[in-house]
Amino acid sequence: MNYIGQEIQDFSVKAYQQGELKDVTKKDVLGKWSVFFFYPADFSFVCPTELEDLQAKYSQFKAAGAEIYSVSEDTEFAHFAWAEASEGIGKIQYPMLADPAGKLAKAFDVLNEDLGQTYRAAFVVDPDGVIQSYTINNMGIGRNAAEIFRTLQAAQFVRAHGDKVCPASWQPGDDVLEPGTDLVGKL
Amino acid sequence: MNYIGQEIQDFSVKAYQQGELKDVTKKDVLGKWSVFFFYPADFSFVCPTELEDLQAKYSQFKAAGAEIYSVSEDTEFAHFAWAEASEGIGKIQYPMLADPAGKLAKAFDVLNEDLGQTYRAAFVVDPDGVIQSYTINNMGIGRNAAEIFRTLQAAQFVRAHGDKVCPASWQPGDDVLEPGTDLVGKL
Amino acid sequence: MNYIGQEIQDFSVKAYQQGELKDVTKKDVLGKWSVFFFYPADFSFVCPTELEDLQAKYSQFKAAGAEIYSVSEDTEFAHFAWAEASEGIGKIQYPMLADPAGKLAKAFDVLNEDLGQTYRAAFVVDPDGVIQSYTINNMGIGRNAAEIFRTLQAAQFVRAHGDKVCPASWQPGDDVLEPGTDLVGKL
Amino acid sequence: MNYIGQEIQDFSVKAYQQGELKDVTKKDVLGKWSVFFFYPADFSFVCPTELEDLQAKYSQFKAAGAEIYSVSEDTEFAHFAWAEASEGIGKIQYPMLADPAGKLAKAFDVLNEDLGQTYRAAFVVDPDGVIQSYTINNMGIGRNAAEIFRTLQAAQFVRAHGDKVCPASWQPGDDVLEPGTDLVGKL
Amino acid sequence: MNYIGQEIQDFSVKAYQQGELKDVTKKDVLGKWSVFFFYPADFSFVCPTELEDLQAKYSQFKAAGAEIYSVSEDTEFAHFAWAEASEGIGKIQYPMLADPAGKLAKAFDVLNEDLGQTYRAAFVVDPDGVIQSYTINNMGIGRNAAEIFRTLQAAQFVRAHGDKVCPASWQPGDDVLEPGTDLVGKL
Amino acid sequence: MNYIGQEIQDFSVKAYQQGELKDVTKKDVLGKWSVFFFYPADFSFVCPTELEDLQAKYSQFKAAGAEIYSVSEDTEFAHFAWAEASEGIGKIQYPMLADPAGKLAKAFDVLNEDLGQTYRAAFVVDPDGVIQSYTINNMGIGRNAAEIFRTLQAAQFVRAHGDKVCPASWQPGDDVLEPGTDLVGKL
Amino acid sequence: MNYIGQEIQDFSVKAYQQGELKDVTKKDVLGKWSVFFFYPADFSFVCPTELEDLQAKYSQFKAAGAEIYSVSEDTEFAHFAWAEASEGIGKIQYPMLADPAGKLAKAFDVLNEDLGQTYRAAFVVDPDGVIQSYTINNMGIGRNAAEIFRTLQAAQFVRAHGDKVCPASWQPGDDVLEPGTDLVGKL
Amino acid sequence: MNYIGQEIQDFSVKAYQQGELKDVTKKDVLGKWSVFFFYPADFSFVCPTELEDLQAKYSQFKAAGAEIYSVSEDTEFAHFAWAEASEGIGKIQYPMLADPAGKLAKAFDVLNEDLGQTYRAAFVVDPDGVIQSYTINNMGIGRNAAEIFRTLQAAQFVRAHGDKVCPASWQPGDDVLEPGTDLVGKL
Amino acid sequence: MNYIGQEIQDFSVKAYQQGELKDVTKKDVLGKWSVFFFYPADFSFVCPTELEDLQAKYSQFKAAGAEIYSVSEDTEFAHFAWAEASEGIGKIQYPMLADPAGKLAKAFDVLNEDLGQTYRAAFVVDPDGVIQSYTINNMGIGRNAAEIFRTLQAAQFVRAHGDKVCPASWQPGDDVLEPGTDLVGKL
Amino acid sequence: MNYIGQEIQDFSVKAYQQGELKDVTKKDVLGKWSVFFFYPADFSFVCPTELEDLQAKYSQFKAAGAEIYSVSEDTEFAHFAWAEASEGIGKIQYPMLADPAGKLAKAFDVLNEDLGQTYRAAFVVDPDGVIQSYTINNMGIGRNAAEIFRTLQAAQFVRAHGDKVCPASWQPGDDVLEPGTDLVGKL
């Protein structure tokens, strides 16, 4: 099933954020842009670099009005312990969702059921909870926080301007196209 | 349905490539890396810039042993006419697949059935025809050829080295991680 | 399924008409006679001559209170580009419907699903949206605008006069038959 | 269901031909072109003129290697009696099939089940028993033997020449088109 | 299924009667006794003698308050033409029902579906539309109008007298039996 | 279901015949013509007269190579006792079948399930066990042995002469018709 | 299915009683104790002795407020004739139910479907129509009227006294037991 | 379901017999006549008298080649304890089957599922394991060992003599009937 | 199915308690803690020691506000007799439930259907009728009343204090843990 | 479903044991006694004390030929990290199974699906992989390693001695019972 244009399902999970345990639900997500960033497991190898890569750009995402939610199939206790044990993870400021029951992973269809871990997937969700872009990589292939941010900005631009659309590799400030019959077949 | 790890289905479509009409089948695709790059429609607005962005990096993809296949729901005749009418499209060297029967779009589940056009999706497929990464954007959100190329390289690295995995935003030449129990919780 | 006496389904498609893009729905069709004229693809070979053959008789159809709708599985952008590229197509005055999602082609059951193109079919539809006559030819066999017009006139005559019926090859002005028991077995 | 490209079903019916009663089966039909010409009922009003119109061109159809089969839901006895009673029908030379069990009418889906009569339908069938063109008119709308003959010739031409296709309103001797990439969008 | 005691279904058919075409429905049948007399086909061999045999006794049936309806799968036009062509049929005064859609033949389950003709069946129906007696013969076996009339009279007698029953081969005027316990085992 | 042309089912029942109890099966019936004559009940009122009417013609049926089987839902003991108690029944020479389990009555579909008795039905069965004619009367309406015999003779004639058919009310010795196209519509 | 504690179904049958024919329904049975006594067939061998054995005790059953109903699959006419023919049966005073439609035999599940006769079964039914005891013997095994009477009396005693229960082979006047915890394991 | 003529199912249960615990299976039962005698519960009130009544006649049953099996839903331990606690039960010589899993009670359909106890049922089973007679009484109604024994003897007589049948209340030594047509309706 | 957190089903059974027979239902159980203690059979070997082990601690359970219910598939009569026969059982003060119909055993899914006996299972049920702990042992493995009591106390403690949880092998008076983020990974 | 007597399913999971990561499958478990000890989550509160309680008795289990397997829904990486972070967990010598895919938890039906954590369950499994005893406690209620060990010993004793059974609270060295009819009702 293709998830573009689908609204995310209701959910309620535990989360770890900067030394605190809390609840996060769909209601918390609505009203602002969000990125759901799935990774296979706490205490494993590639994952930390991806999470730290995101943290390095966290202030940019916040400035753009977006929240980041990392998600793994570990418990909130494991997130807590990982943050205590790892210097890099300890610095993460965004909420780390705990999905041991697999609810989010199944809702986004990124669970590798044989391993009980998720693929490396990132979803860009608009303030109405509707998925606008997503990327899923096989287990070993890391993602790029900069590209996720570029995609978020493009999605925000389309939502804001409607009749204008972004050309390839667009960055804020680049020219945008104004569709019209004068352009048919001319580009 | 999640397509990671799935082998692509059999297909046989018409294609336009540099002034010629030809057939392209799954058999042509196997044995080398490939990128399937879906776009909504010929003669429309954002699409040309994405296709030209890919053409600009085409020699890099070829050097990496990968072929690019653009796909839309238009006929090969429309591709032909577009290449004649548009300077930018006229320069494209990779095969442009014609999918008016929607076979590829349904096989990859990227068809917007209401419009009869596809979402902006890119699939990285390995030489066995197995999908290793994919990104799907809503209609208005353009893609980034550089990121597709980076992902292709990461997937190639994982296939070649197996026991090594790529950290986030990895580029060829960057350090890679060697998993081991000494790294558990240390990153 | 036989379509004689069936009302056409609701539909809403994009259309190109003389340099403009517009929407055409079932509502636009009701209230006057209409001819739906399906052809395989823009920019292909036989099709233009059929479309130009119809254009040559367009004023006759209009005088008879009928609209012509050509339909292919191409987009409105392809129609636009074709009109710009081809002198003959550029002269067409009737609406050219864009059916890339295959809605009309499936509703009239003229889609060759393997090719994603339609057979050469023409439907004569009365002001209530009810099909009164239709002809379907295999891919290579062109149609005859004059015969479509003759059939339209015969259908209009039957609708207007009810108790009178048209003999074979009837043209307006020819004698018509008045059915009665005195004619049983006498013709 | 669309019948283009479908092979006709097996059938075996009684027929009247020039004072004789005989059997006609699918086997008799294969190997030459044929036209199945359905009409509502013997001894009714429009029908005789259509049948006589066909008879007037019968030598042309025979010269073109095609047989005509008229079909109604009457018995062979009724055909016999009609030929005796009506001067025009008495002159018909082609076989008049008797389909009181509705087998042919159902196979071609032209039965008006409420009346127990068929719509006015004509099918052009190739020597393999495959339908290449068909027209169905509502009860009151007569057909045109000349157009049926033109369509038959066009279908024969396509079968004979394969790579050439007929433009609109084509008649034998007219120019034909030779498809090629040089013609894309040029017609 | 056994039809004794079943009410006939609703029907509406065309009929020929003495030079006129008319409609006959179940409503026309109710309120008086009726005989439905099915025969295979107009213009065939045994049938006329059966129909003429009935006509010869028609005044007796009318005097007994019963109507006769002959039924075949031919059209009303064929009945008309037959009456004109055949002296014997031309003299028939009762309505000849036209059942080309097979509605009556299926309702009474006397259709030979392979031939599209009915078996030789006669049904005696009471004024409530309920079947009281029926005989069905295979194709070649003619019926006996005198026996149908005798059965009708016996059925009328039972309806009128209720507690009295007719002995075998009873004719009006013969003795009837008065059932009572004094007769048990004594006859 | 219409039984014309149906082969009777296998059966095995007890029978009373002239003071003896015996078994009768389908095998006993095959190879000669037979009449199955159902009546409601032993010791009841109309029935004896019908059975005696048949007995009066029994020598004619035997001379025509046919056997008569009367059938009721009573036991063979009841038949026995009835023959002892009633002078008329005591003279019957044909086998009286006992069908208390309703097997024959259900196979011929003549059981009035509410009463546990059969309608007054007579079946003419050919030497292959195939039903050629049948008549079913409601409870109170007696049958006519002479008409059953006439129908048997007509059925025998059709079986013997095939291409000849009997006109209405035909009796052996009457003229028969030789079907041919010269007779179409002439009778 | 076990019938103890089940209420008998509604029924309506014909009956013979002392020279009269009458109707017997469930309504006639309710309000007093009853015995349903099934036997295979009138005019057969063991049955008469069982029926006469019951008649010999009929005055005792009546005195105990119980009615006896004999039942077979014969008609009321056969019962009538049997009573006339047999001295013993002629003396029977209780109603002899006629069940040719098998309604009672099926409701009590005692029909041997292959023979169309019932097993030798006796049911003791209380005034509410509820079965309190039943015995079913295979075809050849006769019953004992005295034991049926003893069982009836025991069932009446239990209904009347509730908290007291009958020891084995109890007869009216014998001691009865008063259940209580002092008796647990003491008998 | 009626059990007459049904073979008992396979079973294997524990049993108590004269101070010993043992297994009893269907195999032990075959080859001789048997009586299955169900009672509600050990240590309850009516039951002991019935069991002792049977014990009193046990030598007669043994002399007739029959075994008695009492059955309740209690365990073999409860039977053991009951025999120790009760003088009457202690004297019982026949096997007391333990059916706590309800297998026998369900196979014979005598389980009152609400109470987990059986009705008072007795089954007479022949040496082939086929049920020939059975009686089921409601909870409070005791049985009669003498009648069970009489029925057993009648069943044995029928099995031994086949063509002879027992009159009502028959005891060994009584006259038996020889069926023949001379007796029909004479008894 | 896992029963933790499930509410027990409605039930109504007979029980023996200190010389009295009584009814026990779910309603009697609600409002206080309860232990359901299943054992295979009365009068068997291991069971008595388990029941006496529980009786020895009965005052402790009562002091803790809990009732004990032993359950077997025996009747209340067998319990009664066992208490009379066995000195140890005779001293038991808690209710001994009789479950011959298997209702409780099936509701708790502890019935060995092949034996008609239950496994050795103990359920700790809270005052709302919700199962908080259960242990099931195979047939031969006895239980430990002390451990059941310890588990009951732990369950009572959790219900009373909610936010505090019991460490392993906890006994009342032992320290308990106060969960908090300061303890994550520290124990 | 009751698991007593069921063989455990095939499984293959990752495990952490004393600093090493390894695979554990059903094959590793067969051939010796085993205890599967489920706990909710790593890094949580009650769990460590239970795990340490088991470790304290680990040498006793080993001496008895049994292996202990703790199981939670955490990954092997989390187990690794926990062992590094917690002194008590660091000392555990038995394998800690990682079940993030929930395979073991579902096979033993102890998964709280809403939490993605297991109930506190302990299973005693014999060398054939068959479950002999199990205890399941709600989330807050800790277990007792001593009782698990006692139960293991009792199960081993039953397996070894078969015909002897353990009384309640039995410990090795205690008296055991020798079942025999002399003990029925005497304990």
Side-chain angles (χ1 to χ4, degrees), chain G residues 1-14:
Chain G
M1 183 187 172
N2 188 313
Y3 290 96
I4 294 296
Q6 302 290 319
E7 187 176 342
I8 61 173
Q9 302 179 14
D10 280 349
F11 69 90
S12 174
V13 297
K14 297 285 179 187

Side-chain angles (χ1 to χ4, degrees), chain E residues 141-159:
Chain E
I141 305 168
R143 285 153 294 182
N144 182 348
E147 176 67 8
I148 294 170
F149 187 62
R150 192 196 66 78
T151 303
L152 170 72
Q153 288 179 300
Q156 288 179 326
F157 190 92
V158 170
R159 182 174 172 97

Side-chain angles (χ1 to χ4, degrees), chain A residues 1-2 4 45-46 49 53 86 109 132-138 142-144 147 150 165-169 187, chain B residues 1-2 4 46 49 53 86 109 132-138 142-144 147 150 165-166 168-169 179-180 187:
Chain A
M1 182 186 172
N2 188 312
I4 294 297
F45 310 115
V46 177
T49 63
D53 190 25
S86 158
D109 197 4
Q132 294 296 339
S133 169
Y134 64 102
T135 295
I136 309 183
N137 287 356
N138 208 339
R143 285 154 294 181
N144 182 348
E147 175 66 9
R150 190 194 68 79
V165 288
C166 303
S169 309
L187 298 171
Chain B
M1 182 188 172
N2 188 314
I4 294 296
V46 178
T49 64
D53 190 24
S86 157
D109 197 5
Q132 294 296 339
S133 170
Y134 63 103
T135 294
I136 308 183
N137 287 358
N138 209 339
R143 286 154 294 182
N144 181 347
E147 175 66 8
R150 191 196 67 77
V165 287
C166 304
S169 310
L187 297 172

